[in-house]
């Protein structure tokens, strides 16, 4: 009021937990007007710490966890360095390949059925399977599959893969 200047800021809401407000002040008549706007959705989408990105970076640093994103038809769209190292192929060679084609032949039908359930929206799944590698070896793995929800519905699935630990003898 004393300066006669306008101001604006984004603040945590004093009215609700986990909510954000954008407020503006400006001179109005002989006083100051205050406008408040709920920006919670915008903050969650764009401005707060990107937890998903941090998780992917941590998985990359870990090295023993692979990440694959598949389309709604089960074809690989993104494969991280960890997964590429497991199968022994660069991401460019894995792009647009059916994920099920990288599974050992005898396990493919069960894997395809499981992936179809996830892509249909029947819930997340966990599976033990065996990956074919470019080195000619078969790699036992544990995988978790979850549907990827976008603004307009399903956009495919995310698969997290780790080599199955070999029991000590």
């Amino acid at each position: 009021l004393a300066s006669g200047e306008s101001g604006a800021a984004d603040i945590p809401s004093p009215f609700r937990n986990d909510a954000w407000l954008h407020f503006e002040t400006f001179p109005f008549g002989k006083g100051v007007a205050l406008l408040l706007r709920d920006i919670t959705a915008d903050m969650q989408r764009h401005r707060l710490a990107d937890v998903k990105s941090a998780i992917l970076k941590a998985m990359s640093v870990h090295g023993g966890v692979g990440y694959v994103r598949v389309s709604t038809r089960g074809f690989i769209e993104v494969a991280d360095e960890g997964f590429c190292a497991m199968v022994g192929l660069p991401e460019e060679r894995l792009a647009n390949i059916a994920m099920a084609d990288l599974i050992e032949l005898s396990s493919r039908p069960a894997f395809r059925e499981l992936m179809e359930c996830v892509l249909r929206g029947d819930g997340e799944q966990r599976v033990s399977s065996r990956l074919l590698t470019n080195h000619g070896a078969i790699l036992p793995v544990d995988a978790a599959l979850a549907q990827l929800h976008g603004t307009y519905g399903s956009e495919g699935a995310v698969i997290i893969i780790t080599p199955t630990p070999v029991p000590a003898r």
Side-chain angles (χ1 to χ4, degrees), residues 20 26 32 41 46 53 59 64 71 73 87 101 115 137 164 169:
W20 287 80
F26 54 90
V32 175
H46 302 293
S53 177
M59 287 171 28
S71 69
R73 294 178 42 233
V87 295
D101 288 349
M115 191 159 52
T164 304
R169 294 182 183 190

Side-chain angles (χ1 to χ4, degrees), residues 54-162:
I55 289 170
L56 292 174
K57 287 177 186 174
M59 287 171 28
S60 177
V61 169
H62 182 279
V65 181
Y67 160 84
V68 178
R69 190 176 76 216
V70 296
S71 69
T72 54
R73 294 178 42 233
F75 287 81
I76 296 173
E77 291 181 337
V78 175
D80 77 340
E81 291 176 20
F83 181 75
C84 291
M86 284 181 210
V87 295
L89 289 169
E91 184 178 10
E92 302 82 43
R93 293 271 313 272
L94 294 169
N96 298 315
I97 290 177
M99 180 63 194
D101 288 349
L102 296 176
I103 303 297
E104 179 184 39
L105 193 56
S106 64
S107 301
R108 278 184 199 169
F111 186 85
R112 278 193 175 108
E113 185 177 327
L114 185 87
M115 191 159 52
E116 182 60 32
C117 288
V118 170
L119 291 169
R120 223 181 12 244
D122 294 342
E124 299 79 25
Q125 299 287 330
R126 182 178 175 164
V127 64
S128 293
S129 195
R130 296 162 51 97
L131 276 178
L132 300 174
T133 69
N134 195 40
H135 313 298
I138 294 177
L139 178 65
V141 295
D142 291 318
L145 295 82
Q147 187 180 41
L148 181 61
H149 295 280
T151 304
Y152 301 108
S154 177
E155 292 185 6
V158 171
I159 306 170
I160 302 297
I161 301 169
T162 58

